[in-house]
Amino acid sequence: MLRLVLALLLLGGVSAGQSPFDGSWVNKMGERLPEGLIFYSLTEETSRCSCAIGGIEIKPDGYDHKTPERAYWETLNVQAVDAHTVLLIAKKAGRTMFTEVDSVSQDGKTLTQVVKDTTEAETVTTETQSHRVEG
């Protein structure tokens, strides 16, 4: 569930126009995440998603931003690495809890998300893929 929440927060692109991340995505068959559409959008001013926790908007400027506190984080940092890649860092009490790298394929059809969960003694890395259905 926490993996899904972080995945849904991530958005892409840095231009004012449509970015490779903008649109609706659905997890590929076989993934162990809930089914359904997820909408992502990112501009230079704000990142948004239609996620389960809803309503959180983060400026994608590479700085830690306070969010309503969650069990696993209290700040989120969203950075556009390039037009097809976004990095998210979630922290609690200054400690990095999760990092996530989202990247959209060059053809714009596949979103790959790699999460490193550092909440436990050993880091757990997961990778999921979604495909674009709209946008």
Side-chain angles (χ1 to χ4, degrees), residues 78-130:
V78 178
Q79 310 171 38
V81 176
D82 59 38
H84 290 265
T85 309
V86 173
L87 171 66
L88 172 86
I89 302 168
K91 295 179 182 176
K92 183 147 187 151
R95 177 176 171 237
T96 298
M97 305 299 275
F98 293 90
T99 59
E100 181 168 344
V101 176
D102 287 3
S103 39
V104 174
S105 61
Q106 289 299 316
D107 66 7
K109 295 179 181 178
T110 303
L111 171 66
T112 301
Q113 298 169 303
V114 178
V115 175
K116 291 187 180 183
D117 177 342
T118 54
T119 59
E120 301 297 329
E122 292 193 31
T123 300
V124 175
T125 301
T126 58
E127 181 175 316
T128 59
Q129 290 189 334
S130 298

Side-chain angles (χ1 to χ4, degrees), residues 18-40:
Q18 185 160 349
S19 77
F21 287 82
D22 292 354
S24 296
W25 299 82
V26 66
N27 293 320
K28 289 189 173 183
M29 299 303 288
E31 296 292 343
R32 292 175 43 194
L33 297 173
E35 294 180 19
L37 294 179
I38 304 163
F39 178 77
Y40 292 88

Side-chain angles (χ1 to χ4, degrees), residues 37-52:
L37 294 179
I38 304 163
F39 178 77
Y40 292 88
S41 174
L42 180 100
T43 68
E44 291 179 8
E45 295 301 315
T46 248
S47 59
R48 298 181 185 111
C49 72
S50 63
C51 56

